[in-house]
Amino acid sequence: APIFLRYPVLIPTSLGSTCCQATRAITMPYEFPKPLGNGPLVEVFPNIWAVEGYVYPVPGARMTRNMTIIKQGDKLCVVNSLRLMPEQEAEMEKLGTVKHLVRLCVGHGMDDPYFVDKYKPTLWEAGAGMPWADKEITLKADKVLGEDGAPFPEIVTPLIFSSIKEEIKGDASLIVASGDTKVLVASDSVMCYGKHKDDTKLSTLSNSLLGKVALWMLGFAGRVNTVPEYFKHHSPDGKASGILPDLENLAAADWDAVIPPHGNVVKAGAREIYRQHLAKIKKGVKAPTATPATAQT
């Protein structure tokens, strides 16, 4: 769900079995949320697919969200999980075996229990002990990005945020090499709500009227940017200044395209667009002393 509505009121309706691995067992019966509808799997870059689906953070507020699938050989890494409709789930399974599942930020992960139960992947998180919006979820990650490397380390580099609020525990994005293109698979730190002709809209899905109004009121606009609500929920001071070192490091990292958790895929020039956005944020903002995010190999 979007970061400003991290506590979904979805009522799960299909009973799932207990995870087989003791380190991440669900300690009470947990009902997996049903698939809420999605578009097609789109190969946006060689060996990288993205799919757009729905989430209802509050009744009537339908919003879109994106899942990314990275392929290496016959293995898959799923990022920002989204339970798919049966047809697209079968299509994903034809691509390869889900070996890794990555949770980049606290605002996503409601479908992680389903993926863990069905595919038994290695579960990665952006920071040790990241909380879950749904308190019934008691999954424990197998590995932490950065500390334990990354899935498919030959092509994936984690970009770890280190200035976030202590209670958030973790936030990260992935930089994925696809041929000559470096693709940022982003956490909620980057949104892409522009309508540029060169950007890729993954499906015909759309936000409901209530969802559109909520996003507009909260500043979810712009082609490649960090929205004010991200600062509110992730920055120690609730402002851009508290997390500025991480944003600067994000802008300095090596990427040119972005697959956001919400919005369109920007296939070229995304980092330069973000740099221009960050320059506007930095006007009048004094950066605090903090350890910046680092891309780790």
Side-chain angles (χ1 to χ4, degrees):
I3 51 178
F4 69 97
L5 292 170
R6 296 199 308 271
Y7 303 96
V9 296
L10 293 165
I11 305 300
T13 53
S14 63
L15 184 64
S17 59
T18 302
C19 299
C20 69
Q21 297 189 30
T23 58
R24 42 179 151 152
I26 297 173
T27 58
M28 61 181 293
Y30 178 78
E31 295 183 353
F32 304 136
K34 281 188 174 295
L36 300 173
N38 56 263
L41 271 65
V42 180
E43 189 173 10
V44 287
F45 303 96
N47 292 316
I48 302 177
W49 286 259
V51 56
E52 187 172 48
Y54 281 136
V55 65
Y56 290 79
V58 295
R62 184 186 69 231
M63 300 177 185
T64 59
R65 55 177 173 143
N66 301 330
M67 177 174 76
T68 300
I69 303 167
I70 305 164
K71 181 176 182 179
Q72 186 179 57
D74 60 353
K75 300 177 181 178
L76 304 179
C77 172
V78 171
V79 186
N80 294 331
S81 66
L82 165 67
R83 185 176 178 183
L84 300 172
M85 300 297 288
E87 180 180 352
Q88 285 74 42
E89 185 174 77
E91 184 179 348
M92 179 187 70
E93 291 171 354
K94 289 180 181 178
L95 296 177
T97 304
V98 178
K99 288 294 188 180
H100 299 278
L101 177 63
V102 180
R103 185 170 179 235
L104 295 178
C105 54
V106 295
H108 291 259
M110 60 178 277
D111 289 317
D112 283 0
Y114 174 80
F115 274 79
V116 167
D117 184 76
K118 185 175 179 66
Y119 299 109
K120 311 300 186 291
T122 297
L123 177 60
W124 297 75
E125 61 184 351
M130 286 174 62
W132 295 89
D134 189 333
K135 303 306 179 184
E136 292 185 7
I137 299 176
T138 57
L139 293 180
K140 295 184 183 299
D142 301 295
K143 295 186 177 183
V144 178
L145 289 171
E147 293 180 16
D148 299 309
F152 303 161
E154 299 86 359
I155 59 172
V156 175
T157 301
L159 185 71
I160 312 297
F161 275 27
S162 58
S163 302
I164 58 173
K165 286 182 179 179
E166 183 177 352
E167 60 267 29
I168 296 297
K169 303 294 185 183
D171 192 279
S173 295
L174 303 179
I175 299 175
V176 185
S178 176
D180 295 331
T181 303
K182 298 292 183 64
V183 183
L184 182 75
V185 180
S187 71
D188 279 332
S189 58
V190 176
M191 304 284 189
C192 302
Y193 278 100
K195 296 182 179 180
H196 196 277
K197 62 181 179 63
D198 292 332
D199 298 344
T200 299
K201 177 77 168 72
L202 293 171
S203 75
T204 58
L205 303 185
S206 63
N207 300 321
S208 66
L209 178 59
L210 179 57
K212 290 177 180 178
V213 171
L215 292 174
W216 176 77
M217 291 179 64
L218 292 163
F220 282 60
R223 194 174 173 200
V224 184
N225 64 0
T226 303
V227 300
E229 283 295 308
Y230 184 83
F231 305 140
K232 179 179 178 180
H233 291 288
H234 291 73
S235 175
D237 64 1
K239 303 175 182 178
S241 57
I243 203 168
L244 193 58
D246 286 324
L247 302 182
E248 290 177 322
N249 211 58
L250 175 63
D254 183 14
W255 53 281
D256 188 55
V258 59
I259 304 174
H262 304 277
N264 298 331
V265 176
V266 181
K267 304 189 77 169
R271 184 182 66 165
E272 181 56 34
I273 297 169
Y274 186 77
R275 284 178 169 178
Q276 295 173 17
H277 165 70
L278 185 58
K280 295 178 181 178
I281 291 178
K282 290 171 65 176
K283 287 183 178 180
V285 176
K286 183 178 180 180
T289 301
T291 302
T294 54
Q296 302 186 27
T297 58

